[in-house]
Amino acid sequence: KMQKKERFFLRGLHHVNKKMTSAIRVCWCILLCATLFSCYESFDFPLNLNKVMKARPHLLFASTINEDNETQPKRNAFSNREGYSRYLVSERRKNKVLRMRDLILKDIKRRRDQEDSTLEAVTDDKLPFWKRRLPANEPGQLILIRSGESSWNVGESKFAGWAGDPDLTPQGKREMERAARLLIEAGYEVDVVFTSRLKRAIRSVWILTSEIDQQYLPVFKSWRLNGRMYGALTGLKKSEAASLIGTKQVQKWRNNIKEIPPPIDENSSYHPKKHRMYADLDESDIPVAESLLDSFERTLPVWEDKIAYELHVGRTVLVVAHSNAIRGLIKHIDGISDQDIQDVKIPRGVPIVYNFDSNLRPKDLGLDKLTHSQPLIRGVFLEKPGLLQAALKREDEWRQTLPDYNATMTRTKTPMTAVENALTKLVAERELEKWALTQVESNSDWEYNGDEEFEDEEEEEYNETPGGILGYQTSDLSDVVLEEVLVPPKPTNCLVMIRHGKTEHNKLGLFTGWEDAPLADEGRQEATEAGQLLKKHNFQFDVVYTSWLSRAIETAWLLMNELDCLWLPIIKSWRLNERMYGSLTGKSKRMIAQKYGEKQLKLWRRGYSVRPPAVSSFCLDYPGNDIRYRNLHDVRYSFTETLMRSIDSRRLILHRKLPKTESLKDCMKRVIPYYQVIKEEAIDKGKSVLIASSENAIRGLLKYLCDIPEEKIAQLEIPNGLPLVYDFNSKTVKLLDDGSGISPLVKYNFGLAGPYLFPQCVSDEECEITF
């Protein structure tokens, strides 16, 4: 089938024959040729697939040969629950590659019998020039990092294996911070991350992505990248195992590549079947014990099915896993023998970088780089192995001898801009003035009226109505709370929405929008308490949805940390971003009111269809200048942006149409359709869903779920860090009892549209929640 761009090219040829001036005809032909060329510049294939297929053998996905010597595709074994980068690659393009695989499966067995166990590629040079491919993108780079030191590696270390409990030690966290700094120094920009389902590896990913300021990256958590399954040795101290079984036998199990330890007992608390993180796997896929060779071979499908694909389309892939999982990948990439792979050592916290040719074969290193590598592998160590441990040891000595070392080296959790810094000091000074006025008696004629505090970003000055909070009569408030708001404990299947914790922008009254403001300390505390509240009520989730903004992602992380479910897939979408405030981004509400007037400010904030002034294409606040949106594929191309950027760079640059400003209506037009995706992927399949996002995105969800009118939705307030449990039976929102004895409707402000969230029920059956 011809692609859309190719059809556009053919239709364009017809228009060229119409009456045009010569200049317009030439420009039109150039545009058509550039559009046609763009079809092939990233992982697209020639139209005549059958004749050129053998030239691309490295695109093969995993395959295996059964006992009858028939080549069959190997079972993928990846669950739909995995948070894979589905929004990076279209389904059409993935299906195209799968169809290509089927056309060349017959040639696999012959190619795998090659002397070096690699596929013999038919290069383009062996084809006639009229059959050769147009030049494609260079393959991406592969970065391998071993996870940091865990609590089971300290002192009398234990066999960890698939035990998901050990977390990183302070030194392990420092190892990951150091690894991130090495990536920043070398200038690497990661596009997609792969890791295991174990806590120590996922925590390492969180630290790495936070340090490089790329929390929005898609993270794929695969059980195939778990550490070696040690069977009955899991959880035992190595010295204890040596005394019970014998040092010689234990060393044999550890170092012999084909020796398998005893299987794990089915009643053991470390058995994978007892953990929810492996509930989506078939029992035949779960190992009870593994040799080193078994753990190496387990990683091959994730390489062939996922990582190789991402590399070939030109993306930089980061793999954060365990020692044996990384050795398995290296063994396959470099073609190392079973005996030689035992001599390969993987240090913690030192990135290993691979560069590939067009056939996905690692490039050889120059002699000047051998000092930062090992003889058997062709990957480059960004730092000399062993240097990190010596540096961390010296750093511990400095911490003890230099009094200000900790304060200097501690990473600032909430960096501030100049505007934030100035307004924060102003708030502090005014607090000091209020305190001084209470201490000093003044006989002056003037009366001090404290300046109003900076309000929350989307919070309006809605006061209590004469009839009570949210328009309820005071006599009816207790009935509303007891029968309609509080959730019974122990839910098993639900939809929970939560707005991120407070940021410094929220506290200072700045328009945030798509600006990536981090959580304030208060916001982290709110997210942590929300996670503790969910845990108290026994909530368990199957999937987490969030935006591409770090404040929402970090909120989701803190919730998952308290719920002890770091392994959950996190699906990140720009469609759950906050409303784009255009040129108001980063400015305070007082600045806007002074420049445009209070009436115009209120229209921009609370008007349903009114858009603020748009940002310029060359402004830093325009999302198109942010690298996180370069992999966005579910919106159309922008002709004007493509034209401007192509002229500026003197080459074709296709640019997506990203919002330069949004009204509340525009924001909900992208949020509400995305809820249908969530519903089809998770809710309709009986999964428990957690959505961590910003206020206007949650407003859009509640508008659809609770049937809130357009003229009322702007009056809805969403408190920070408060879990909102949606009941599908009564179509209402329920709140969790925090044990304080204070009614949630009194404690929190939901604005004038709050009654739409908590309507009075006609019968007890309507109010009842059956999870």
Side-chain angles (χ1 to χ4, degrees):
K1 295 181 180 179
M2 301 185 66
Q3 298 185 358
K4 293 181 180 178
K5 295 177 185 178
E6 293 164 342
R7 292 197 297 268
F8 172 75
F9 176 78
L10 295 178
R11 288 197 301 267
L13 293 179
H14 172 71
H15 292 288
V16 172
N17 294 328
K18 293 183 177 181
K19 294 182 179 180
M20 292 183 179
T21 64
S22 300
I24 295 177
R25 186 179 294 111
V26 170
C27 294
W28 182 250
C29 292
I30 293 175
L31 176 62
L32 292 177
C33 294
T35 305
L36 178 63
F37 180 77
S38 68
C39 302
Y40 300 101
E41 67 176 359
S42 61
F43 201 56
D44 279 355
F45 302 93
L47 298 178
N48 195 345
L49 296 176
N50 293 329
K51 296 183 179 180
V52 193
M53 193 65 63
K54 293 183 180 180
R56 312 301 295 174
H58 52 279
L59 299 179
L60 296 178
F61 283 73
S63 62
T64 184
I65 300 175
N66 60 17
E67 297 178 356
D68 298 329
N69 293 328
E70 295 178 355
T71 304
Q72 296 179 347
K74 187 173 183 179
R75 181 179 178 273
N76 193 1
F78 290 101
S79 167
N80 289 330
R81 292 173 50 184
E82 304 276 5
Y84 185 56
S85 54
R86 289 168 295 175
Y87 301 105
L88 295 184
V89 184
S90 64
E91 287 296 327
R92 178 183 61 83
R93 188 165 292 180
K94 280 188 179 180
N95 294 335
K96 188 175 183 180
V97 179
L98 292 174
R99 290 194 300 269
M100 290 182 60
R101 178 190 65 181
D102 297 335
L103 295 176
I104 50 178
L105 282 175
K106 296 180 181 180
D107 197 42
I108 293 177
K109 188 176 183 300
R110 181 184 63 81
R111 295 178 181 274
R112 289 206 170 181
D113 290 337
Q114 297 293 327
E115 192 175 29
D116 56 354
S117 300
T118 59
L119 298 175
E120 181 183 4
V122 179
T123 62
D124 288 345
D125 296 336
K126 299 180 181 179
L127 297 172
F129 71 90
W130 61 86
K131 295 183 180 180
R132 296 178 188 175
R133 287 174 44 87
L134 290 175
N137 288 338
E138 287 291 326
Q141 295 172 311
L142 176 64
I143 305 173
L144 305 175
I145 301 179
R146 181 182 174 184
S147 60
E149 180 188 73
S150 71
S151 57
W152 283 19
N153 297 132
V154 181
E156 296 186 13
S157 60
K158 299 180 181 180
F159 290 97
W162 281 38
D165 295 330
D167 207 342
L168 294 185
T169 63
Q171 177 169 333
K173 296 177 181 179
R174 288 158 58 195
E175 291 171 349
M176 292 299 100
E177 291 174 357
R178 178 65 173 267
R181 292 164 191 157
L182 292 174
L183 293 178
I184 294 173
E185 180 188 43
Y188 291 102
E189 293 181 357
V190 180
D191 296 310
V192 61
V193 183
F194 291 82
T195 187
S196 72
R197 295 191 185 183
L198 302 178
K199 181 186 295 185
R200 53 194 183 274
I202 298 172
R203 183 85 66 186
S204 299
V205 171
W206 289 4
I207 295 173
L208 284 165
T209 54
S210 297
E211 283 289 327
I212 64 177
D213 197 24
Q214 289 184 285
Q215 298 96 326
Y216 55 86
L217 289 174
V219 179
F220 179 62
K221 303 167 186 174
S222 173
W223 63 275
R224 292 189 175 276
L225 292 176
N226 280 14
R228 177 187 176 188
M229 179 51 163
Y230 282 103
L233 301 180
T234 304
L236 289 178
K237 295 180 180 179
K238 295 176 181 178
S239 59
E240 182 182 0
S243 61
L244 292 175
I245 306 171
T247 304
K248 185 176 181 181
Q249 182 60 46
V250 172
Q251 292 298 327
K252 189 176 181 180
W253 284 332
R254 291 184 62 191
N255 300 324
N256 194 306
I257 195 169
K258 295 184 179 180
E259 287 291 331
I260 303 177
I264 191 171
D265 188 1
E266 289 190 358
N267 297 322
S268 172
S269 60
Y270 299 118
H271 198 290
K273 291 195 301 184
K274 294 186 177 294
H275 293 273
R276 216 165 50 91
M277 70 176 73
Y278 304 114
D280 60 319
L281 301 183
D282 294 338
E283 188 173 352
S284 59
D285 292 329
I286 300 176
V288 293
E290 287 181 322
S291 65
L292 280 172
L293 187 59
D294 294 335
S295 65
F296 295 160
E297 293 178 348
R298 171 164 45 84
T299 62
L300 295 186
V302 74
W303 161 261
E304 295 174 329
D305 284 6
K306 304 292 184 181
I307 299 176
Y309 175 82
E310 299 287 351
L311 290 172
H312 188 78
V313 298
R315 298 193 181 104
T316 300
V317 178
L318 172 63
V319 178
V320 182
H322 312 272
S323 175
N324 288 320
I326 292 179
R327 290 166 72 189
L329 293 175
I330 290 176
K331 181 180 185 298
H332 178 68
I333 294 171
D334 288 312
I336 303 175
S337 65
D338 294 347
Q339 297 302 322
D340 292 339
I341 191 61
Q342 302 181 64
D343 298 329
V344 175
K345 307 299 180 185
I346 309 298
R348 296 191 190 94
V350 180
I352 306 172
V353 181
Y354 277 87
N355 294 291
F356 298 92
D357 59 17
S358 59
N359 291 323
L360 280 192
R361 292 176 178 172
K363 293 181 179 179
D364 293 327
L365 303 175
L367 295 177
D368 56 329
K369 296 183 179 180
L370 289 179
T371 55
H372 295 287
S373 184
Q374 295 185 17
L376 298 174
I377 69 176
R378 282 171 279 186
V380 181
F381 288 84
L382 294 188
E383 189 175 64
K384 186 176 180 180
L387 184 61
L388 175 60
Q389 300 301 324
L392 293 178
K393 184 177 179 181
R394 178 61 61 87
E395 186 179 3
D396 289 334
E397 297 175 358
W398 288 347
R399 289 179 185 274
Q400 298 175 2
T401 56
L402 300 177
D404 296 333
Y405 184 82
N406 286 336
T408 303
M409 294 300 294
T410 301
R411 184 173 68 94
T412 303
K413 294 183 179 179
T414 54
M416 293 187 182
T417 63
V419 174
E420 290 178 311
N421 191 30
L423 293 179
T424 301
K425 291 180 180 179
L426 181 61
V427 171
E429 290 170 355
R430 286 175 174 166
E431 292 294 329
L432 182 61
E433 291 174 0
K434 293 179 182 179
W435 174 83
L437 287 173
T438 60
Q439 300 297 322
V440 180
E441 294 183 359
S442 175
N443 295 325
S444 302
D445 294 336
W446 62 272
E447 180 180 358
Y448 173 75
N449 294 320
D451 293 303
E452 66 176 23
E453 297 179 358
F454 289 101
E455 58 189 20
D456 185 71
E457 178 185 339
E458 291 88 10
E459 182 180 353
E460 191 65 78
E461 297 85 351
Y462 294 124
N463 299 321
E464 297 183 11
T465 60
I469 304 292
L470 306 179
Y472 290 113
Q473 297 297 324
T474 306
S475 58
D476 298 334
L477 185 59
S478 60
D479 295 335
V480 172
V481 173
L482 292 178
E483 296 183 4
E484 303 170 37
V485 178
L486 297 183
V487 176
K490 299 182 180 179
T492 57
N493 187 280
C494 57
L495 169 63
V496 176
M497 294 163 283
I498 184 170
R499 182 188 175 190
H500 60 77
K502 284 189 177 67
T503 65
E504 292 296 336
H505 278 52
N506 297 144
K507 294 168 61 178
L508 298 174
L510 303 180
F511 286 98
T512 308
W514 284 32
E515 185 175 350
D516 202 10
L519 290 181
D521 292 337
E522 182 181 352
R524 292 188 180 89
Q525 183 64 28
E526 289 172 342
T528 301
E529 292 175 355
Q532 294 171 353
L533 184 60
L534 290 170
K535 185 176 182 180
K536 175 183 176 182
H537 289 271
N538 301 322
F539 275 79
Q540 292 182 343
F541 298 100
D542 298 306
V543 62
V544 179
Y545 289 85
T546 187
S547 70
W548 282 5
L549 302 175
S550 62
R551 55 188 182 272
I553 297 172
E554 188 174 0
T555 298
W557 286 354
L558 294 171
L559 289 169
M560 295 166 64
N561 185 64
E562 293 299 323
L563 294 170
D564 196 22
C565 57
L566 276 62
W567 51 271
L568 284 178
I570 303 180
I571 299 177
K572 305 163 188 172
S573 173
W574 70 276
R575 294 187 178 275
L576 292 176
N577 279 14
E578 177 58 285
R579 173 187 172 188
M580 174 59 183
Y581 281 105
S583 61
L584 306 185
T585 302
K587 296 180 175 62
S588 72
K589 298 171 179 63
R590 188 168 297 177
M591 295 177 189
I592 304 303
Q594 184 273 335
K595 186 174 182 180
Y596 298 99
E598 291 285 350
K599 183 178 180 181
Q600 185 62 57
L601 171 63
K602 190 171 182 179
L603 280 176
W604 284 335
R605 290 188 63 199
R606 297 297 174 179
Y608 184 71
S609 302
V610 181
R611 295 174 180 170
V615 296
S616 167
S617 300
F618 307 100
C619 178
L620 292 178
D621 294 326
Y622 174 53
N625 298 324
D626 192 334
I627 62 172
R628 79 187 65 201
Y629 301 107
R630 63 185 175 185
N631 289 322
L632 191 148
H633 287 285
D634 55 345
V635 293
R636 69 176 180 85
Y637 289 107
S638 170
F639 175 78
T640 55
E641 292 293 331
T642 298
L643 182 62
M644 286 191 303
R645 295 171 189 272
S646 298
I647 293 175
D648 179 67
S649 61
R650 299 185 180 181
R651 62 186 179 90
L652 179 63
I653 296 180
L654 298 176
H655 191 82
R656 300 284 178 175
K657 185 174 180 58
L658 295 169
K660 296 181 178 180
T661 183
E662 282 183 323
S663 64
L664 191 56
K665 180 180 180 181
D666 297 330
C667 178
M668 294 182 182
K669 284 175 65 177
R670 60 173 163 85
V671 172
I672 294 175
Y674 185 68
Y675 173 76
Q676 301 299 329
V677 177
I678 299 175
K679 187 173 181 293
E680 294 174 3
E681 289 182 347
I683 296 175
D684 289 347
K685 297 179 181 178
K687 296 179 181 179
S688 297
V689 176
L690 172 65
I691 300 177
S693 188
S694 303
E695 181 174 33
N696 282 307
I698 295 179
R699 273 179 178 161
L701 296 174
L702 293 176
K703 177 184 182 298
Y704 174 78
L705 294 172
C706 299
D707 297 326
I708 303 177
E710 293 181 357
E711 61 273 12
K712 297 292 185 181
I713 189 61
Q715 301 175 3
L716 179 65
E717 302 295 331
I718 310 296
N720 293 93
L722 178 66
L724 305 175
V725 184
Y726 181 74
D727 176 31
F728 292 97
N729 295 329
S730 60
K731 295 186 178 181
T732 59
V733 171
K734 310 293 180 178
L735 302 178
L736 302 178
D737 185 5
D738 58 3
S740 64
I742 304 175
S743 168
L745 295 179
V746 175
K747 188 174 182 180
Y748 302 102
N749 176 27
F750 292 93
L752 295 179
Y756 290 94
L757 302 183
F758 317 107
Q760 297 186 16
C761 300
V762 178
S763 63
D764 293 339
E765 295 181 357
E766 186 179 350
C767 294
E768 183 182 359
I769 298 181
T770 55
F771 288 98

